[in-house]
Amino acid sequence: MKPLDRTPAVWQPPRWRELHAALAPFVLLPLALTVATGMGYRLLRDWGGLSRDQAHVLMVLHEGEWLRHWFGPNGETVYVLLNGLGLTWMLVSGGALALARLRRGLARAKG
């Protein structure tokens, strides 16, 4: 039987993958809403023949205008800012993870 290791646990900063995975659920829904409503607005206006007024509800969702009810006049700005920061984070962290995987694969191939 091995003796118990009594060394205190040392705090380690989270790794890229853990941070990427932790933030992904919070970024997914607002980003999907922005993409779907932005595409829907443009396609329905251009190809569907909807007027600006008929498609306005999609633009309200797309720009986060609906958040004014809860967060005041800055709700829309905060939504756009957080959406942009979230997308930037996912691209940077995802790119770093992909690059690390590529480097590991190349290192294994060299052997």
Side-chain angles (χ1 to χ4, degrees):
M1 187 163 169
K2 291 168 66 175
L4 293 175
D5 184 12
R6 300 249 184 232
T7 57
V10 178
W11 182 82
Q12 296 282 328
R15 296 182 300 167
W16 282 97
R17 185 174 309 283
E18 293 163 352
L19 291 171
H20 184 88
L23 194 58
F26 298 103
V27 173
L28 179 65
L29 185 60
L31 193 57
L33 178 67
T34 300
V35 169
T37 55
M39 286 176 38
Y41 179 84
R42 181 54 36 212
L43 293 175
L44 288 171
R45 290 276 328 269
D46 289 351
W47 294 343
L50 267 63
S51 71
R52 186 180 202 130
D53 290 336
Q54 290 173 318
H56 182 68
V57 68
L58 291 174
M59 196 48 61
V60 168
L61 292 171
H62 177 75
E63 293 178 340
E65 202 174 312
W66 51 277
L67 290 171
R68 287 183 181 181
H69 299 291
W70 291 288
F71 301 106
N74 292 330
E76 188 175 343
T77 306
V78 171
Y79 176 76
V80 171
L81 176 67
L82 292 177
N83 221 357
L85 290 174
L87 176 60
T88 302
W89 167 255
M90 296 309 286
L91 289 172
V92 169
S93 61
L97 291 169
L99 188 59
R101 179 173 282 189
L102 180 64
R103 286 182 178 164
R104 281 194 309 270
L106 290 174
R108 285 184 192 145
K110 285 184 181 178

